[in-house]
């Protein structure tokens, strides 16, 4: 079983940048498709970005395209979400998620398809 431990996040002004990290504890992220989701107060959890376990493919929700970038370092068992040009509407608790996959190009975008979740980290963007 993989334990996902998140770090990063915090408070930033509009237009600023943050990087979130998600590391596997007690296991490896190789062969795991990974994703990032977020949940704002009073809203449902929504998909942000996902990456195949090989890193070949990635997908983003439209609102973060060209601002957020998902990447991974399988040697360090870590997945990253680089967030640039942050906006107040990006304020939310961000969660990383993982699922074991046999295909190295598969990207998983539905929250219900993930098996493992990080603890969540708060990102607040002030206007």
């Amino acid at each position: 079983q993989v334990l996902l431990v998140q770090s990063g996040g915090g408070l930033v002004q509009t237009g600023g940048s943050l990087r979130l990290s998600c590391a596997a504890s007690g296991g490896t992220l190789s062969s795991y498709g990974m994703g990032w989701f977020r949940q704002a107060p009073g809203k449902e959890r929504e998909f942000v970005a996902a990456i195949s376990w090989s890193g070949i493919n990635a997908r983003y929700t439209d609102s973060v395209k060209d601002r957020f970038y998902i990447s991974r370092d399988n040697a360090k068992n870590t997945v990253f979400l680089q967030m640039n040009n942050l906006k107040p509407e990006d304020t939310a608790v961000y969660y990383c998620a993982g699922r074991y996959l046999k295909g190295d190009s598969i990207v998983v975008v539905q929250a219900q398809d993930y098996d493992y979740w990080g603890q969540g980290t708060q990102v607040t963007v002030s206007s």
Side-chain angles (χ1 to χ4, degrees), residues 2 16 31 52 55 59 66 76 79 88 91 93 98-99 108 123:
V2 175
S31 299
S52 61
R59 289 185 62 182
D66 300 323
K76 295 182 178 180
V79 176
T91 295
V93 177
R99 171 178 173 168
V108 180
V123 171

Side-chain angles (χ1 to χ4, degrees), residues 48-66:
V48 176
I51 189 168
S52 61
W53 68 254
S54 66
I56 291 176
N57 290 328
R59 289 185 62 182
Y60 301 87
T61 192
D62 287 345
S63 63
V64 308
K65 284 181 180 177
D66 300 323

Side-chain angles (χ1 to χ4, degrees), residues 8-82:
L11 174 64
V12 66
Q13 292 184 335
T14 296
S17 297
L18 286 173
R19 188 174 82 157
L20 305 182
S21 299
C22 175
S25 176
T28 176
L29 287 183
S30 296
S31 299
Y32 279 79
M34 300 296 296
W36 287 95
F37 293 78
R38 65 187 180 186
Q39 188 167 16
K43 295 186 177 181
E44 294 186 352
R45 188 171 299 190
E46 67 169 346
F47 168 74
V48 176
I51 189 168
S52 61
W53 68 254
S54 66
I56 291 176
N57 290 328
R59 289 185 62 182
Y60 301 87
T61 192
D62 287 345
S63 63
V64 308
K65 284 181 180 177
D66 300 323
R67 298 190 300 121
F68 290 14
Y69 299 93
I70 188 171
S71 63
R72 63 190 301 156
D73 185 339
N74 286 343
K76 295 182 178 180
N77 291 317
T78 304
V79 176
F80 305 96
L81 184 67
Q82 177 66 43

Side-chain angles (χ1 to χ4, degrees), residues 86-102:
L86 282 158
K87 303 176 180 180
E89 51 264 42
D90 295 318
T91 295
V93 177
Y94 284 70
Y95 298 89
C96 67
R99 171 178 173 168
Y100 178 80
L101 295 169
K102 293 185 177 180

